[in-house]
Amino acid sequence: MKDFAKWWPVLLVGLLLFVFLFSMRDASPPQVRRAEVAYSEFKQLLRDRRVSDIRLSDTTASATIRPAGGDLGPDQDEYVRVNLPSLSDPELMPLIETSGAVVTVEAPKEEGGNWLFSLLPWLIFLGIYFWFWHRMQSNLAGRFGGRDPSEFLSGSASKEVKRKKRVTFDDVAGQEAAKREVAELVDFLRDPERYRRLGAEPPRGVLLMGPPGTGKTLLARALAGEADVNFYHTSASEFIEMFVGVGASRVRKMFEEAKKRAPSIIFIDELDAVGRVRGTGLGGGNDEREQTLNQILAEMDGFSGHEAVIVLAATNRPDVLDPALLRPGRFDRHVTLELPDREAREAILKVHTRNMPLAADVDLKTLASATPGFSGADLKNLVNEAAMAAARAGAHAIDMRNFDEMRDKVMMGTVRSLAIRPDEKHRLAIHESGHTVVAHFLPTADPIYKVTIIPRGRALGGTHMLPEEERHTLPEDYLKDRLAVMLGGRTAEKVLLGNVSSGADDDIKKATQMARAMVARWGMSEEVGPVDLRQSEDHPFLGREIAQPRRFSETTAHDVDAAVSHLLREAEARAEEIISDNLAGMKSLVQRLEERETLSAEEVRACLGTAKARGSAA
C-alpha cells in the first residue's frame, strides 16, 4: 500500500495519457507514402480509374492508388489522403461509381468525441479526491505517531522482561544511601505473601529526586534487575497528546499490562512533565495534562489495587510537583540522589573502567579528585572520551594522559589554535602564575594540580587545583583564601607589568559572587551581621539560581555592597603581599611556563619551593 501511495501520481498520469491517445487514434491506413493530394488531382485519379479502394468520412477520404504503368502488386500501391470540401459535390459520387473503386464509408463521429475521452474529467476529479484523502490519512497517522489508533491509545511504554544479563545494584556505584532506601523493595517483589500475612503494605510509589545524570533511571533498572521482575519504562511526556483523554487511556493500559504480569515495576521518567501543580498555570494547565495526572493519582490510590506493582518515578524538579502526588499513599518514599563525592566518583570510575585496558600510570583516585562536581553520567562520558582518544592514537591501553586531556576538554572545551602574540603570551603566563603562587603559599587553599596557558574553549589558560578532601561546609578562612587565589592573576599583572587587562573578567565575576554569598547568605561580615539578604535562591538540583524579589532597604543594600568590596580589597592585598614576597620564584615560574605551556604540580614546586604546611594558621 505504501508503494502504491508513492507511485499513484505516475500511474494516474500514465492512465490519462493512454486514454487520450486511444481516443485520438486515427483510423487511416498504417502506411502513408504520399501524405496528401489536391482535390482536383484526386478527381483526375478517379477518372483514370487508378483508385482501387476509398475510405470516406464526412471531411476526408483515404484512397489506395495503383501505379501508372498498371497493376504491379500491392507493394507498389500508394496511399493518399485528401480533404473533401463536401460530400454533396455533384461530380464526386458519379466519378467514384465509374472508377470501379471499393468504397467504405466511416460512421460520423458523435459530438463530444470518444466515450473514453469523455471520462477524462471524471478521472481527473477522482484522482484529486484520492490525493486529498491520502494526505488526510497520512496527517492523521502522523498525529498518532505513525501507529494505528489502538496502538496509539496503548502508548509506547517499553517493557523489559526477565533476561540473563540484567542491571543490578553492582552496576550502581556512588549512591549507597539511595540503594539502601530501595533495597527492601526487592524482598517484597520476590515474596509479597510474606508481607501480606502480617498486614504490611508496601510503598505505593518511590520518587527518585536528584540532579541530571546522577543515576535515577539506572537505579530503577537495577531494582527491577535485582528483583528479577518485569520492568515498564516510559516518559511522562509520552502521556501528553493533542487529543484529550489519550493520556488517561495510556495510563490505564500501562497499569493493566503491569498487573497482568505482576510482580512488576513501572518507571515514569521526568514525572514533572505531567505531574505539575494543578490550577496555577504551570505547564500550561491544559485539560489533557490534568486528566492524565488524575488518572495516575487514581491508579496509585488503591481503588483498583496493584499490590504486586510498584511505581517508580524520577524528576529533577520536585518543587513543581502537585502535592497530591507527594502525599503518603501515592509516592510514599522520596529518595534523593546527590552528586557523588570523591570516594563515590572513584567507585563509579571503577565500574565504568572494569572492562577497559588501563595503563599502569592510571590512578583513579587522583582522577576522582580532579573531577569535583561531575555526575555519574559525566564520569561515564569522560571514560568513553578517553577510550576514544586512545583508540585514535592507536594505543593498546588507556593511559592517564588520555584521562587528563579529556577532563580538560569536558571542563573547559577543545584546544583552540590561536595566534597569540609574544606580549600576550607573557601576560597570560604572569596571570596564571599569579593564581599558582598565591594558591601555593596560602595555608588552606587547595593544592595545585597543574597550570597551563594552552587556550581551551573560552579560556586562554587555567590553574587547576585538587581538594585534598571533600568539603561539606566551607570555613571562613578557606573562603578568604579562595578569594585571594581568584584575584591572584590580576594582582600579578599589576605587580609585574604595572597595569591590568580584561583577562581577569571571569575571576572578578566569580570572586564577587563568592564575596556576596559570604556577606548576604552566610553572615561572614561584622558590619552586616547574620542576616539573610540574598536576592536569589539556589535550586537544589538544577545547579542554578532562581531570582526572587528584594526584601531589604536601600541602606542595607549599600551596607552589603560595602562589605563585599571590603572582602575583595582585603583578598587583593593578601595576594599582592604573597606575590611580592616570592617574586623571584614567580619569575622563574613565568619563564618555565612560557617554555613548556603546561606544568605539573612537581614542576611548580621545583620553581616555588616548599609551601607552608596545609591546615596551619595564616
PDB file of all heavy atoms in Angstrom, residues 209 270-278 280 282-283 289 293 315-326 539-542 544 546:
ATOM      1  N   MET A 209      14.681  11.616  43.290  1.00  0.00           N
ATOM      2  CA  MET A 209      14.949  13.022  43.023  1.00  0.00           C
ATOM      3  C   MET A 209      16.460  13.241  43.003  1.00  0.00           C
ATOM      4  O   MET A 209      17.193  12.628  43.786  1.00  0.00           O
ATOM      5  CB  MET A 209      14.320  13.914  44.096  1.00  0.00           C
ATOM      6  CG  MET A 209      12.831  13.699  44.287  1.00  0.00           C
ATOM      7  SD  MET A 209      12.150  14.751  45.591  1.00  0.00           S
ATOM      8  CE  MET A 209      13.003  14.108  47.032  1.00  0.00           C
ATOM      9  N   GLU A 270      10.991  11.657  34.218  1.00  0.00           N
ATOM     10  CA  GLU A 270      10.618  13.076  34.092  1.00  0.00           C
ATOM     11  C   GLU A 270       9.152  13.294  34.468  1.00  0.00           C
ATOM     12  O   GLU A 270       8.341  13.796  33.692  1.00  0.00           O
ATOM     13  CB  GLU A 270      10.876  13.584  32.663  1.00  0.00           C
ATOM     14  CG  GLU A 270      12.305  13.402  32.187  1.00  0.00           C
ATOM     15  CD  GLU A 270      13.312  14.188  33.011  1.00  0.00           C
ATOM     16  OE1 GLU A 270      12.895  15.148  33.706  1.00  0.00           O
ATOM     17  OE2 GLU A 270      14.504  13.850  32.970  1.00  0.00           O
ATOM     18  N   LEU A 271       8.825  12.916  35.702  1.00  0.00           N
ATOM     19  CA  LEU A 271       7.440  12.987  36.167  1.00  0.00           C
ATOM     20  C   LEU A 271       6.894  14.407  36.130  1.00  0.00           C
ATOM     21  O   LEU A 271       5.677  14.604  35.985  1.00  0.00           O
ATOM     22  CB  LEU A 271       7.356  12.424  37.596  1.00  0.00           C
ATOM     23  CG  LEU A 271       5.976  12.387  38.253  1.00  0.00           C
ATOM     24  CD1 LEU A 271       5.052  11.462  37.487  1.00  0.00           C
ATOM     25  CD2 LEU A 271       6.092  11.967  39.708  1.00  0.00           C
ATOM     26  N   ASP A 272       7.739  15.410  36.244  1.00  0.00           N
ATOM     27  CA  ASP A 272       7.257  16.792  36.285  1.00  0.00           C
ATOM     28  C   ASP A 272       6.587  17.215  34.984  1.00  0.00           C
ATOM     29  O   ASP A 272       5.882  18.226  34.950  1.00  0.00           O
ATOM     30  CB  ASP A 272       8.413  17.741  36.606  1.00  0.00           C
ATOM     31  CG  ASP A 272       9.604  17.525  35.702  1.00  0.00           C
ATOM     32  OD1 ASP A 272      10.408  16.615  35.981  1.00  0.00           O
ATOM     33  OD2 ASP A 272       9.732  18.251  34.705  1.00  0.00           O
ATOM     34  N   ALA A 273       6.799  16.471  33.886  1.00  0.00           N
ATOM     35  CA  ALA A 273       6.154  16.821  32.620  1.00  0.00           C
ATOM     36  C   ALA A 273       4.641  16.691  32.702  1.00  0.00           C
ATOM     37  O   ALA A 273       3.911  17.391  31.991  1.00  0.00           O
ATOM     38  CB  ALA A 273       6.687  15.935  31.496  1.00  0.00           C
ATOM     39  N   VAL A 274       4.150  15.798  33.579  1.00  0.00           N
ATOM     40  CA  VAL A 274       2.710  15.609  33.698  1.00  0.00           C
ATOM     41  C   VAL A 274       2.209  15.881  35.116  1.00  0.00           C
ATOM     42  O   VAL A 274       1.023  16.078  35.339  1.00  0.00           O
ATOM     43  CB  VAL A 274       2.312  14.177  33.275  1.00  0.00           C
ATOM     44  CG1 VAL A 274       2.795  13.158  34.289  1.00  0.00           C
ATOM     45  CG2 VAL A 274       0.829  14.043  33.052  1.00  0.00           C
ATOM     46  N   GLY A 275       3.123  15.907  36.083  1.00  0.00           N
ATOM     47  CA  GLY A 275       2.720  15.994  37.485  1.00  0.00           C
ATOM     48  C   GLY A 275       2.833  17.370  38.094  1.00  0.00           C
ATOM     49  O   GLY A 275       2.900  17.490  39.324  1.00  0.00           O
ATOM     50  N   ARG A 276       2.857  18.421  37.284  1.00  0.00           N
ATOM     51  CA  ARG A 276       2.975  19.773  37.835  1.00  0.00           C
ATOM     52  C   ARG A 276       1.716  20.172  38.599  1.00  0.00           C
ATOM     53  O   ARG A 276       0.642  19.597  38.404  1.00  0.00           O
ATOM     54  CB  ARG A 276       3.239  20.784  36.714  1.00  0.00           C
ATOM     55  CG  ARG A 276       4.623  20.643  36.104  1.00  0.00           C
ATOM     56  CD  ARG A 276       4.779  21.561  34.906  1.00  0.00           C
ATOM     57  NE  ARG A 276       6.125  21.447  34.341  1.00  0.00           N
ATOM     58  CZ  ARG A 276       7.099  22.316  34.560  1.00  0.00           C
ATOM     59  NH1 ARG A 276       6.880  23.371  35.327  1.00  0.00           N
ATOM     60  NH2 ARG A 276       8.288  22.151  34.019  1.00  0.00           N
ATOM     61  N   VAL A 277       1.889  21.167  39.456  1.00  0.00           N
ATOM     62  CA  VAL A 277       0.788  21.633  40.302  1.00  0.00           C
ATOM     63  C   VAL A 277      -0.392  22.046  39.431  1.00  0.00           C
ATOM     64  O   VAL A 277      -0.235  22.788  38.458  1.00  0.00           O
ATOM     65  CB  VAL A 277       1.249  22.807  41.177  1.00  0.00           C
ATOM     66  CG1 VAL A 277       0.096  23.320  42.029  1.00  0.00           C
ATOM     67  CG2 VAL A 277       2.403  22.374  42.067  1.00  0.00           C
ATOM     68  N   ARG A 278      -1.575  21.588  39.796  1.00  0.00           N
ATOM     69  CA  ARG A 278      -2.782  21.912  39.036  1.00  0.00           C
ATOM     70  C   ARG A 278      -3.344  23.268  39.452  1.00  0.00           C
ATOM     71  O   ARG A 278      -3.265  23.644  40.618  1.00  0.00           O
ATOM     72  CB  ARG A 278      -3.847  20.835  39.260  1.00  0.00           C
ATOM     73  CG  ARG A 278      -3.499  19.493  38.679  1.00  0.00           C
ATOM     74  CD  ARG A 278      -4.431  18.411  39.174  1.00  0.00           C
ATOM     75  NE  ARG A 278      -4.176  18.116  40.587  1.00  0.00           N
ATOM     76  CZ  ARG A 278      -4.828  17.199  41.298  1.00  0.00           C
ATOM     77  NH1 ARG A 278      -5.780  16.498  40.719  1.00  0.00           N
ATOM     78  NH2 ARG A 278      -4.536  16.994  42.566  1.00  0.00           N
ATOM     79  N   THR A 280      -2.415  26.352  38.705  1.00  0.00           N
ATOM     80  CA  THR A 280      -1.546  27.526  38.893  1.00  0.00           C
ATOM     81  C   THR A 280      -1.030  28.070  37.577  1.00  0.00           C
ATOM     82  O   THR A 280      -0.299  29.054  37.570  1.00  0.00           O
ATOM     83  CB  THR A 280      -0.342  27.148  39.770  1.00  0.00           C
ATOM     84  OG1 THR A 280       0.422  26.138  39.118  1.00  0.00           O
ATOM     85  CG2 THR A 280      -0.798  26.660  41.127  1.00  0.00           C
ATOM     86  N   LEU A 282       1.141  26.566  35.741  1.00  0.00           N
ATOM     87  CA  LEU A 282       2.432  25.961  35.428  1.00  0.00           C
ATOM     88  C   LEU A 282       2.230  24.837  34.432  1.00  0.00           C
ATOM     89  O   LEU A 282       1.357  23.995  34.607  1.00  0.00           O
ATOM     90  CB  LEU A 282       3.094  25.406  36.707  1.00  0.00           C
ATOM     91  CG  LEU A 282       3.548  26.454  37.728  1.00  0.00           C
ATOM     92  CD1 LEU A 282       4.069  25.772  38.986  1.00  0.00           C
ATOM     93  CD2 LEU A 282       4.628  27.342  37.137  1.00  0.00           C
ATOM     94  N   GLY A 283       3.038  24.808  33.397  1.00  0.00           N
ATOM     95  CA  GLY A 283       2.952  23.752  32.398  1.00  0.00           C
ATOM     96  C   GLY A 283       1.771  23.905  31.471  1.00  0.00           C
ATOM     97  O   GLY A 283       1.438  22.995  30.739  1.00  0.00           O
ATOM     98  N   ARG A 289      -3.337  17.283  30.299  1.00  0.00           N
ATOM     99  CA  ARG A 289      -2.329  17.012  31.342  1.00  0.00           C
ATOM    100  C   ARG A 289      -2.999  16.738  32.682  1.00  0.00           C
ATOM    101  O   ARG A 289      -2.619  15.819  33.401  1.00  0.00           O
ATOM    102  CB  ARG A 289      -1.376  18.194  31.454  1.00  0.00           C
ATOM    103  CG  ARG A 289      -0.238  17.977  32.438  1.00  0.00           C
ATOM    104  CD  ARG A 289       0.640  19.205  32.558  1.00  0.00           C
ATOM    105  NE  ARG A 289      -0.112  20.340  33.073  1.00  0.00           N
ATOM    106  CZ  ARG A 289      -0.381  20.528  34.372  1.00  0.00           C
ATOM    107  NH1 ARG A 289       0.028  19.656  35.265  1.00  0.00           N
ATOM    108  NH2 ARG A 289      -1.064  21.574  34.758  1.00  0.00           N
ATOM    109  N   LEU A 293      -2.887  13.324  34.925  1.00  0.00           N
ATOM    110  CA  LEU A 293      -2.440  13.324  36.323  1.00  0.00           C
ATOM    111  C   LEU A 293      -3.505  12.728  37.229  1.00  0.00           C
ATOM    112  O   LEU A 293      -3.197  11.924  38.133  1.00  0.00           O
ATOM    113  CB  LEU A 293      -2.109  14.753  36.750  1.00  0.00           C
ATOM    114  CG  LEU A 293      -1.727  14.951  38.219  1.00  0.00           C
ATOM    115  CD1 LEU A 293      -0.524  14.098  38.576  1.00  0.00           C
ATOM    116  CD2 LEU A 293      -1.446  16.423  38.505  1.00  0.00           C
ATOM    117  N   THR A 315      12.558  12.666  38.836  1.00  0.00           N
ATOM    118  CA  THR A 315      12.412  14.072  38.477  1.00  0.00           C
ATOM    119  C   THR A 315      13.586  14.854  39.039  1.00  0.00           C
ATOM    120  O   THR A 315      14.178  14.453  40.057  1.00  0.00           O
ATOM    121  CB  THR A 315      11.088  14.655  39.022  1.00  0.00           C
ATOM    122  OG1 THR A 315      10.982  16.010  38.621  1.00  0.00           O
ATOM    123  CG2 THR A 315      11.054  14.593  40.537  1.00  0.00           C
ATOM    124  N   ASN A 316      13.928  15.948  38.379  1.00  0.00           N
ATOM    125  CA  ASN A 316      14.882  16.890  38.954  1.00  0.00           C
ATOM    126  C   ASN A 316      14.200  18.212  39.297  1.00  0.00           C
ATOM    127  O   ASN A 316      14.874  19.204  39.538  1.00  0.00           O
ATOM    128  CB  ASN A 316      16.069  17.121  38.016  1.00  0.00           C
ATOM    129  CG  ASN A 316      15.636  17.474  36.609  1.00  0.00           C
ATOM    130  OD1 ASN A 316      14.549  18.016  36.394  1.00  0.00           O
ATOM    131  ND2 ASN A 316      16.469  17.164  35.634  1.00  0.00           N
ATOM    132  N   ARG A 317      12.850  18.209  39.295  1.00  0.00           N
ATOM    133  CA  ARG A 317      12.082  19.391  39.667  1.00  0.00           C
ATOM    134  C   ARG A 317      10.995  19.006  40.669  1.00  0.00           C
ATOM    135  O   ARG A 317       9.798  19.141  40.397  1.00  0.00           O
ATOM    136  CB  ARG A 317      11.443  20.028  38.427  1.00  0.00           C
ATOM    137  CG  ARG A 317      12.397  20.621  37.430  1.00  0.00           C
ATOM    138  CD  ARG A 317      13.189  21.768  38.007  1.00  0.00           C
ATOM    139  NE  ARG A 317      12.351  22.787  38.632  1.00  0.00           N
ATOM    140  CZ  ARG A 317      11.795  23.796  37.973  1.00  0.00           C
ATOM    141  NH1 ARG A 317      11.984  23.923  36.672  1.00  0.00           N
ATOM    142  NH2 ARG A 317      11.065  24.692  38.611  1.00  0.00           N
ATOM    143  N   PRO A 318      11.349  18.525  41.860  1.00  0.00           N
ATOM    144  CA  PRO A 318      10.302  18.175  42.835  1.00  0.00           C
ATOM    145  C   PRO A 318       9.537  19.388  43.347  1.00  0.00           C
ATOM    146  O   PRO A 318       8.446  19.248  43.894  1.00  0.00           O
ATOM    147  CB  PRO A 318      11.094  17.501  43.962  1.00  0.00           C
ATOM    148  CG  PRO A 318      12.464  18.073  43.858  1.00  0.00           C
ATOM    149  CD  PRO A 318      12.705  18.300  42.400  1.00  0.00           C
ATOM    150  N   ASP A 319      10.092  20.591  43.181  1.00  0.00           N
ATOM    151  CA  ASP A 319       9.442  21.796  43.684  1.00  0.00           C
ATOM    152  C   ASP A 319       8.185  22.151  42.907  1.00  0.00           C
ATOM    153  O   ASP A 319       7.362  22.939  43.401  1.00  0.00           O
ATOM    154  CB  ASP A 319      10.425  22.970  43.648  1.00  0.00           C
ATOM    155  CG  ASP A 319      11.030  23.170  42.259  1.00  0.00           C
ATOM    156  OD1 ASP A 319      11.508  22.172  41.686  1.00  0.00           O
ATOM    157  OD2 ASP A 319      11.033  24.310  41.758  1.00  0.00           O
ATOM    158  N   VAL A 320       7.994  21.618  41.702  1.00  0.00           N
ATOM    159  CA  VAL A 320       6.810  21.954  40.897  1.00  0.00           C
ATOM    160  C   VAL A 320       5.781  20.834  40.881  1.00  0.00           C
ATOM    161  O   VAL A 320       4.754  20.960  40.210  1.00  0.00           O
ATOM    162  CB  VAL A 320       7.215  22.306  39.444  1.00  0.00           C
ATOM    163  CG1 VAL A 320       8.179  23.462  39.426  1.00  0.00           C
ATOM    164  CG2 VAL A 320       7.803  21.096  38.732  1.00  0.00           C
ATOM    165  N   LEU A 321       6.004  19.740  41.627  1.00  0.00           N
ATOM    166  CA  LEU A 321       5.077  18.613  41.600  1.00  0.00           C
ATOM    167  C   LEU A 321       3.829  18.920  42.415  1.00  0.00           C
ATOM    168  O   LEU A 321       3.866  19.656  43.414  1.00  0.00           O
ATOM    169  CB  LEU A 321       5.748  17.354  42.141  1.00  0.00           C
ATOM    170  CG  LEU A 321       6.876  16.769  41.290  1.00  0.00           C
ATOM    171  CD1 LEU A 321       7.440  15.514  41.944  1.00  0.00           C
ATOM    172  CD2 LEU A 321       6.401  16.450  39.884  1.00  0.00           C
ATOM    173  N   ASP A 322       2.712  18.339  42.004  1.00  0.00           N
ATOM    174  CA  ASP A 322       1.446  18.515  42.700  1.00  0.00           C
ATOM    175  C   ASP A 322       1.515  17.845  44.079  1.00  0.00           C
ATOM    176  O   ASP A 322       2.003  16.716  44.196  1.00  0.00           O
ATOM    177  CB  ASP A 322       0.311  17.888  41.867  1.00  0.00           C
ATOM    178  CG  ASP A 322      -1.050  18.331  42.339  1.00  0.00           C
ATOM    179  OD1 ASP A 322      -1.503  17.815  43.378  1.00  0.00           O
ATOM    180  OD2 ASP A 322      -1.661  19.181  41.674  1.00  0.00           O
ATOM    181  N   PRO A 323       1.037  18.502  45.123  1.00  0.00           N
ATOM    182  CA  PRO A 323       1.093  17.889  46.465  1.00  0.00           C
ATOM    183  C   PRO A 323       0.359  16.557  46.556  1.00  0.00           C
ATOM    184  O   PRO A 323       0.715  15.710  47.391  1.00  0.00           O
ATOM    185  CB  PRO A 323       0.426  18.950  47.361  1.00  0.00           C
ATOM    186  CG  PRO A 323       0.577  20.238  46.621  1.00  0.00           C
ATOM    187  CD  PRO A 323       0.527  19.877  45.157  1.00  0.00           C
ATOM    188  N   ALA A 324      -0.654  16.345  45.723  1.00  0.00           N
ATOM    189  CA  ALA A 324      -1.381  15.071  45.770  1.00  0.00           C
ATOM    190  C   ALA A 324      -0.491  13.899  45.371  1.00  0.00           C
ATOM    191  O   ALA A 324      -0.743  12.758  45.776  1.00  0.00           O
ATOM    192  CB  ALA A 324      -2.595  15.131  44.854  1.00  0.00           C
ATOM    193  N   LEU A 325       0.526  14.163  44.568  1.00  0.00           N
ATOM    194  CA  LEU A 325       1.460  13.091  44.209  1.00  0.00           C
ATOM    195  C   LEU A 325       2.399  12.749  45.357  1.00  0.00           C
ATOM    196  O   LEU A 325       2.842  11.600  45.492  1.00  0.00           O
ATOM    197  CB  LEU A 325       2.289  13.513  42.986  1.00  0.00           C
ATOM    198  CG  LEU A 325       1.707  13.291  41.601  1.00  0.00           C
ATOM    199  CD1 LEU A 325       2.616  13.928  40.566  1.00  0.00           C
ATOM    200  CD2 LEU A 325       1.537  11.817  41.305  1.00  0.00           C
ATOM    201  N   LEU A 326       2.722  13.724  46.173  1.00  0.00           N
ATOM    202  CA  LEU A 326       3.766  13.552  47.174  1.00  0.00           C
ATOM    203  C   LEU A 326       3.242  13.037  48.508  1.00  0.00           C
ATOM    204  O   LEU A 326       4.046  12.708  49.384  1.00  0.00           O
ATOM    205  CB  LEU A 326       4.490  14.897  47.388  1.00  0.00           C
ATOM    206  CG  LEU A 326       5.093  15.533  46.130  1.00  0.00           C
ATOM    207  CD1 LEU A 326       5.738  16.859  46.472  1.00  0.00           C
ATOM    208  CD2 LEU A 326       6.114  14.603  45.491  1.00  0.00           C
ATOM    209  N   HIS A 539      18.681  26.551  43.224  1.00  0.00           N
ATOM    210  CA  HIS A 539      17.847  25.377  43.001  1.00  0.00           C
ATOM    211  C   HIS A 539      18.612  24.141  43.449  1.00  0.00           C
ATOM    212  O   HIS A 539      19.798  23.986  43.133  1.00  0.00           O
ATOM    213  CB  HIS A 539      17.477  25.243  41.523  1.00  0.00           C
ATOM    214  CG  HIS A 539      16.392  24.255  41.280  1.00  0.00           C
ATOM    215  ND1 HIS A 539      16.624  22.902  41.194  1.00  0.00           N
ATOM    216  CD2 HIS A 539      15.042  24.422  41.122  1.00  0.00           C
ATOM    217  CE1 HIS A 539      15.486  22.276  40.977  1.00  0.00           C
ATOM    218  NE2 HIS A 539      14.521  23.165  40.932  1.00  0.00           N
ATOM    219  N   PRO A 540      17.970  23.241  44.205  1.00  0.00           N
ATOM    220  CA  PRO A 540      18.719  22.108  44.773  1.00  0.00           C
ATOM    221  C   PRO A 540      19.266  21.136  43.744  1.00  0.00           C
ATOM    222  O   PRO A 540      20.237  20.433  44.033  1.00  0.00           O
ATOM    223  CB  PRO A 540      17.672  21.423  45.666  1.00  0.00           C
ATOM    224  CG  PRO A 540      16.347  21.847  45.113  1.00  0.00           C
ATOM    225  CD  PRO A 540      16.559  23.228  44.580  1.00  0.00           C
ATOM    226  N   PHE A 541      18.659  21.062  42.542  1.00  0.00           N
ATOM    227  CA  PHE A 541      19.061  20.038  41.588  1.00  0.00           C
ATOM    228  C   PHE A 541      19.522  20.587  40.249  1.00  0.00           C
ATOM    229  O   PHE A 541      20.262  19.923  39.534  1.00  0.00           O
ATOM    230  CB  PHE A 541      17.904  19.053  41.348  1.00  0.00           C
ATOM    231  CG  PHE A 541      17.470  18.332  42.588  1.00  0.00           C
ATOM    232  CD1 PHE A 541      16.128  18.162  42.867  1.00  0.00           C
ATOM    233  CD2 PHE A 541      18.403  17.848  43.487  1.00  0.00           C
ATOM    234  CE1 PHE A 541      15.722  17.504  44.012  1.00  0.00           C
ATOM    235  CE2 PHE A 541      17.999  17.189  44.641  1.00  0.00           C
ATOM    236  CZ  PHE A 541      16.658  17.019  44.905  1.00  0.00           C
ATOM    237  N   LEU A 542      19.076  21.776  39.877  1.00  0.00           N
ATOM    238  CA  LEU A 542      19.388  22.286  38.548  1.00  0.00           C
ATOM    239  C   LEU A 542      20.722  23.005  38.492  1.00  0.00           C
ATOM    240  O   LEU A 542      21.205  23.316  37.411  1.00  0.00           O
ATOM    241  CB  LEU A 542      18.280  23.228  38.060  1.00  0.00           C
ATOM    242  CG  LEU A 542      16.906  22.591  37.864  1.00  0.00           C
ATOM    243  CD1 LEU A 542      15.932  23.599  37.301  1.00  0.00           C
ATOM    244  CD2 LEU A 542      16.994  21.375  36.951  1.00  0.00           C
ATOM    245  N   ARG A 544      21.516  26.067  39.383  1.00  0.00           N
ATOM    246  CA  ARG A 544      21.436  27.473  39.001  1.00  0.00           C
ATOM    247  C   ARG A 544      20.581  28.207  40.019  1.00  0.00           C
ATOM    248  O   ARG A 544      19.871  27.605  40.826  1.00  0.00           O
ATOM    249  CB  ARG A 544      20.851  27.650  37.609  1.00  0.00           C
ATOM    250  CG  ARG A 544      19.450  27.080  37.421  1.00  0.00           C
ATOM    251  CD  ARG A 544      18.947  27.321  36.017  1.00  0.00           C
ATOM    252  NE  ARG A 544      17.698  26.668  35.745  1.00  0.00           N
ATOM    253  CZ  ARG A 544      16.500  27.174  36.055  1.00  0.00           C
ATOM    254  NH1 ARG A 544      16.431  28.333  36.666  1.00  0.00           N
ATOM    255  NH2 ARG A 544      15.389  26.529  35.752  1.00  0.00           N
ATOM    256  N   ILE A 546      17.624  30.947  41.198  1.00  0.00           N
ATOM    257  CA  ILE A 546      16.313  31.437  40.796  1.00  0.00           C
ATOM    258  C   ILE A 546      16.110  32.797  41.455  1.00  0.00           C
ATOM    259  O   ILE A 546      16.173  32.917  42.683  1.00  0.00           O
ATOM    260  CB  ILE A 546      15.200  30.459  41.215  1.00  0.00           C
ATOM    261  CG1 ILE A 546      15.444  29.080  40.577  1.00  0.00           C
ATOM    262  CG2 ILE A 546      13.835  30.994  40.828  1.00  0.00           C
ATOM    263  CD1 ILE A 546      14.459  28.031  41.029  1.00  0.00           C
TER     264      ILE A 546
END
